[in-house]
């Protein structure tokens, strides 16, 4: 699935606002991880995996060489 940056300014700003409305302390970013995981899954990226307490690993498969 191709993700486009152009035209996504409002979505980026909404994510920024959501993340900064209720800041979390270092190594206590539980709501942040869930928000990011939810946003990725809404884009069809289902390989998100929570590692440890607040780590998130995502494997995004691309097409072709970079």
């Amino acid at each position: 699935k191709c993700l486009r940056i152009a035209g996504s300014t409002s979505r980026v700003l909404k994510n920024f606002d959501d993340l900064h409305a209720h800041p979390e302390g270092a190594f206590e970013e539980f709501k942040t991880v869930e928000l990011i995981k939810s946003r990725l899954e809404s884009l069809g990226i289902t390989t998100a995996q929570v590692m440890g307490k607040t780590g998130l690993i995502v494997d995004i498969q691309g097409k072709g060489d970079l």
Side-chain angles (χ1 to χ4, degrees):
K1 191 171 196 177
C2 180
L3 304 177
R4 295 182 180 205
I5 295 174
S8 64
T9 302
S10 64
R11 185 173 53 231
V12 170
L13 291 176
K14 182 180 181 338
N15 289 335
F16 178 88
D17 290 341
D18 287 346
L19 291 171
H20 290 86
H22 303 95
E24 297 175 284
F27 304 106
E28 296 178 0
E29 303 93 342
F30 303 107
K31 291 180 183 178
T32 299
V33 169
E34 287 305 313
L35 176 74
I36 293 170
K37 186 176 178 188
S38 172
R39 295 292 202 270
L40 290 172
E41 289 174 351
S42 75
L43 295 170
I45 301 169
T46 58
T47 57
Q49 181 178 6
V50 177
M51 300 298 292
K53 292 184 177 183
T54 58
L56 187 64
I57 296 175
V58 180
D59 183 15
I60 301 174
Q61 300 295 318
K63 295 181 181 178
D65 296 330
L66 294 178

